Amino acid sequence: MPDNAPTDPRPASGVDRRQVLGAAALGGLGLALGPGKAQATTVPTRIPVTEQRERAVVVGTGFGGGVTALRLAQAGVRTLVLERGLRWPTGPNATTFCRMANVDRRSAWLTDHSPIPGVPGTWKPYTGVLETVQGNGMTINCGSAVGGGSLTYHGMTLQPTEEYFAASMPMMADDYDLLDRWAYPTVARMLKISTVPDDVLAAEPYRSSRLFLDVAPRAGLRTFRVPLPVDWRFVRGELEGRYEPTYITSDLTFGVNNGGKHSIDVTYLAAAEATGRVRTEPLHVVRDISLDLLKRWVLHVERINTDGEVQERKRIIADAVFLAAGSPGTTRLLVKAKAKNLVPGLPDAIGTQWGNNGDRIFAWVNMNDDPGRPQGGPACVGGRDPNSPIPYTIIHAGSPMLPPDGTKMMTVVGFGIVKATGTWAYDSATDDAKLTWNPAGDADLQTLIRNRMNEFVRAGGGMMIDRDAQATSTWHALGGVPMGSAVDRYGRVLGHRGLYVLDGARIPGSTGACNPSMTIAALAEHSMATIVRQDLGRIF
Ligand SMILES: Cc1cc2nc3c(=O)[nH]c(=O)nc-3n(C[C@H](O)[C@H](O)[C@H](O)COP(=O)(O)OP(=O)(O)OC[C@H]3O[C@@H](n4cnc5c(N)ncnc54)[C@H](O)[C@@H]3O)c2cc1C
């Protein structure tokens, strides 16, 4: 930093309200979370401000961001990738991530407390792996690390059928054939997906998965093994006692220490960086996006340290900006830009058509047969009723926290297609956007899922406890910048050259009764092929 670099004129020790992130709930693996205490960070005395010029900038390193960075790089475009979170390198017996039994500050994005109710612990806020975003009527859990949600997701990599895809995203229905023949298989290849092998499924920790496969058909479901981006040799290493248990105890919510998970940081993003054209900057939080007088895109970025303290402010001017900050991240940036008129003329649909992919988490307890403990993961078995008038999927995810009194328990999760009735509105007090979710959006689906859960009880005994009954949460946030009314089918923001949305924010509420990551990535592949062909050299 040169001595004459400009500094930020704001007061030396005031609270930067945009750093204040409250957390209220974390639904990972069915664990509802307690109310959070917002934590403020102070602004250091003199914050340098720098300016830089870029051709293309990608914001976020999850599924949308990883695909975008790779395809830009392969098209010869020097690309800057901005990510608010940290890199988390893994390997056999690494201790990179915290464990469920010993949750610490690595678990959560800039909050001061344990995200799990009943688990004591407060700490100095840290740039941990999961952000909880509190809305009205809904709490979102999403990734906050290099690799986005792929570090903390289970890895269920499901492609919807054509019919269900079209029901979720009618405007993309004509493209399903191309997605099916090329984009989905490309994602499958990049993430090296496979299903649980017989020897692993037969192992003792996978007793609960076998129980699901046994009971689900009697509850009217056609079962299947879930495709996962997992190198099963690592799971075998745990089964043989060579590696510390993570997979075989389903202790996956805060990341997989041993590695063997083909997350975005070690697949798409690593391939992008290997071209030499992509530079990833972790701990870079994009606060605002604006258009300058020359109609160039300006990103207002804070470089933070791991305590969340601002170290530097950057104005990054770009010809093209690819927003891939996830549904909550991208939506918040654009709702703010619209409300503050930082980007005049943004579509009115921004902040609309948000949904939760129909998530509902149940604890199945006291069933007839013993599901065993620990319960292995990732979630490797599921079921569907192909004749159901409302499409849905039910999966079993092993629980890393089983009742200490020995109560038999399994976590069973349902999801499907919802009406995307959620909306985001700007709140000037926090300089942020907040979600309001109307439960009517998934009422029909939830009734159906509850009925199906009752079928499980009839077939296998015990009872189902609806964990979302009190506080509704999701880890499948989708929408907020919907296709058709806010962006075109390739993610171009309507009326705004060089601004793109290539993540889950553009998918209105659900991905065809499947977990969303594969569809987010496949759509990004599909869009980037066209953007590279049509916009490269013309717009950026
Ligand atoms: C516990 C859990 C389990 C899940 N399990 C599954 C599963 O098994 N299968 C499945 O398909 N899906 C699963 N999901 C959902 C899946 O992770 C998301 O749908 C997916 O990651 C969304 O992809 P994306 O590209 O839209 O955004 P993300 O993957 O969320 O990436 C967005 C990135 O942008 C960054 N970012 C956000 N705001 C800013 C900003 N202002 N400045 C800079 N960077 C920013 C974030 O840190 C993040 O890295 C799970 C999610 C969770 C939380």
Side-chain angles (χ1 to χ4, degrees), residues 93 235-245 248:
N93 293 317
V235 182
R236 293 190 184 103
E238 293 184 18
L239 288 170
E240 291 158 11
R242 285 183 283 119
Y243 306 151
E244 282 294 312
I248 63 170

mmCIF file of all heavy atoms in Angstrom, residues 93 235-245 248:
data_model
loop_
_atom_site.group_PDB
_atom_site.id
_atom_site.type_symbol
_atom_site.label_atom_id
_atom_site.label_comp_id
_atom_site.label_asym_id
_atom_site.label_seq_id
_atom_site.Cartn_x
_atom_site.Cartn_y
_atom_site.Cartn_z
ATOM 1 N N ASN A 93 -7.037 -37.415 8.148
ATOM 2 C CA ASN A 93 -6.820 -37.082 9.566
ATOM 3 C C ASN A 93 -6.521 -35.607 9.821
ATOM 4 O O ASN A 93 -5.970 -35.251 10.863
ATOM 5 C CB ASN A 93 -5.720 -37.964 10.166
ATOM 6 C CG ASN A 93 -6.153 -39.410 10.239
ATOM 7 O OD1 ASN A 93 -7.297 -39.697 10.617
ATOM 8 N ND2 ASN A 93 -5.281 -40.325 9.860
ATOM 9 N N VAL A 235 -13.976 -43.335 2.892
ATOM 10 C CA VAL A 235 -14.943 -43.923 3.815
ATOM 11 C C VAL A 235 -14.415 -45.274 4.304
ATOM 12 O O VAL A 235 -14.471 -45.590 5.495
ATOM 13 C CB VAL A 235 -16.321 -44.085 3.130
ATOM 14 C CG1 VAL A 235 -17.334 -44.646 4.105
ATOM 15 C CG2 VAL A 235 -16.789 -42.742 2.559
ATOM 16 N N ARG A 236 -13.861 -46.038 3.372
ATOM 17 C CA ARG A 236 -13.292 -47.337 3.777
ATOM 18 C C ARG A 236 -12.138 -47.123 4.750
ATOM 19 O O ARG A 236 -11.958 -47.893 5.688
ATOM 20 C CB ARG A 236 -12.827 -48.111 2.539
ATOM 21 C CG ARG A 236 -13.972 -48.549 1.637
ATOM 22 C CD ARG A 236 -13.501 -49.516 0.560
ATOM 23 N NE ARG A 236 -14.598 -49.838 -0.340
ATOM 24 C CZ ARG A 236 -14.747 -49.318 -1.568
ATOM 25 N NH1 ARG A 236 -13.854 -48.479 -2.068
ATOM 26 N NH2 ARG A 236 -15.789 -49.653 -2.312
ATOM 27 N N GLY A 237 -11.353 -46.063 4.517
ATOM 28 C CA GLY A 237 -10.256 -45.747 5.441
ATOM 29 C C GLY A 237 -10.768 -45.522 6.855
ATOM 30 O O GLY A 237 -10.126 -45.925 7.834
ATOM 31 N N GLU A 238 -11.931 -44.908 6.962
ATOM 32 C CA GLU A 238 -12.539 -44.714 8.290
ATOM 33 C C GLU A 238 -13.054 -46.040 8.839
ATOM 34 O O GLU A 238 -12.864 -46.358 10.018
ATOM 35 C CB GLU A 238 -13.672 -43.694 8.208
ATOM 36 C CG GLU A 238 -13.206 -42.282 7.879
ATOM 37 C CD GLU A 238 -14.356 -41.288 7.899
ATOM 38 O OE1 GLU A 238 -15.414 -41.594 8.475
ATOM 39 O OE2 GLU A 238 -14.196 -40.201 7.324
ATOM 40 N N LEU A 239 -13.706 -46.815 7.987
ATOM 41 C CA LEU A 239 -14.243 -48.101 8.451
ATOM 42 C C LEU A 239 -13.127 -49.016 8.946
ATOM 43 O O LEU A 239 -13.316 -49.786 9.888
ATOM 44 C CB LEU A 239 -15.017 -48.794 7.314
ATOM 45 C CG LEU A 239 -16.367 -48.168 6.937
ATOM 46 C CD1 LEU A 239 -16.904 -48.783 5.644
ATOM 47 C CD2 LEU A 239 -17.388 -48.339 8.066
ATOM 48 N N GLU A 240 -11.957 -48.902 8.302
ATOM 49 C CA GLU A 240 -10.821 -49.755 8.690
ATOM 50 C C GLU A 240 -10.005 -49.147 9.826
ATOM 51 O O GLU A 240 -8.979 -49.705 10.225
ATOM 52 C CB GLU A 240 -9.928 -49.983 7.458
ATOM 53 C CG GLU A 240 -10.598 -50.858 6.414
ATOM 54 C CD GLU A 240 -9.995 -50.666 5.019
ATOM 55 O OE1 GLU A 240 -8.934 -50.012 4.895
ATOM 56 O OE2 GLU A 240 -10.616 -51.157 4.057
ATOM 57 N N GLY A 241 -10.416 -47.987 10.307
ATOM 58 C CA GLY A 241 -9.741 -47.394 11.467
ATOM 59 C C GLY A 241 -8.483 -46.619 11.122
ATOM 60 O O GLY A 241 -7.743 -46.196 12.008
ATOM 61 N N ARG A 242 -8.233 -46.380 9.842
ATOM 62 C CA ARG A 242 -7.019 -45.643 9.472
ATOM 63 C C ARG A 242 -7.226 -44.135 9.605
ATOM 64 O O ARG A 242 -6.284 -43.391 9.827
ATOM 65 C CB ARG A 242 -6.609 -45.983 8.032
ATOM 66 C CG ARG A 242 -5.976 -47.369 7.919
ATOM 67 C CD ARG A 242 -5.509 -47.668 6.514
ATOM 68 N NE ARG A 242 -6.610 -48.026 5.628
ATOM 69 C CZ ARG A 242 -6.947 -47.364 4.540
ATOM 70 N NH1 ARG A 242 -6.297 -46.281 4.191
ATOM 71 N NH2 ARG A 242 -7.956 -47.774 3.783
ATOM 72 N N TYR A 243 -8.460 -43.678 9.432
ATOM 73 C CA TYR A 243 -8.755 -42.247 9.527
ATOM 74 C C TYR A 243 -9.763 -42.014 10.646
ATOM 75 O O TYR A 243 -10.617 -42.859 10.928
ATOM 76 C CB TYR A 243 -9.371 -41.714 8.231
ATOM 77 C CG TYR A 243 -8.592 -41.986 6.972
ATOM 78 C CD1 TYR A 243 -9.259 -42.105 5.761
ATOM 79 C CD2 TYR A 243 -7.207 -42.103 6.980
ATOM 80 C CE1 TYR A 243 -8.576 -42.340 4.579
ATOM 81 C CE2 TYR A 243 -6.506 -42.345 5.812
ATOM 82 C CZ TYR A 243 -7.200 -42.467 4.611
ATOM 83 O OH TYR A 243 -6.522 -42.713 3.459
ATOM 84 N N GLU A 244 -9.680 -40.829 11.220
ATOM 85 C CA GLU A 244 -10.661 -40.421 12.227
ATOM 86 C C GLU A 244 -12.060 -40.440 11.610
ATOM 87 O O GLU A 244 -12.257 -39.957 10.493
ATOM 88 C CB GLU A 244 -10.366 -38.979 12.684
ATOM 89 C CG GLU A 244 -9.232 -38.858 13.667
ATOM 90 C CD GLU A 244 -9.571 -39.516 14.991
ATOM 91 O OE1 GLU A 244 -10.666 -39.257 15.511
ATOM 92 O OE2 GLU A 244 -8.747 -40.305 15.485
ATOM 93 N N PRO A 245 -13.050 -40.956 12.326
ATOM 94 C CA PRO A 245 -14.401 -41.002 11.749
ATOM 95 C C PRO A 245 -14.970 -39.618 11.443
ATOM 96 O O PRO A 245 -14.835 -38.707 12.248
ATOM 97 C CB PRO A 245 -15.232 -41.666 12.852
ATOM 98 C CG PRO A 245 -14.258 -42.363 13.712
ATOM 99 C CD PRO A 245 -12.980 -41.594 13.632
ATOM 100 N N ILE A 248 -18.378 -41.849 8.562
ATOM 101 C CA ILE A 248 -19.126 -42.971 9.146
ATOM 102 C C ILE A 248 -19.865 -42.579 10.425
ATOM 103 O O ILE A 248 -20.598 -43.396 10.989
ATOM 104 C CB ILE A 248 -18.214 -44.191 9.402
ATOM 105 C CG1 ILE A 248 -17.121 -43.871 10.419
ATOM 106 C CG2 ILE A 248 -17.628 -44.697 8.103
ATOM 107 C CD1 ILE A 248 -16.344 -45.114 10.871
#
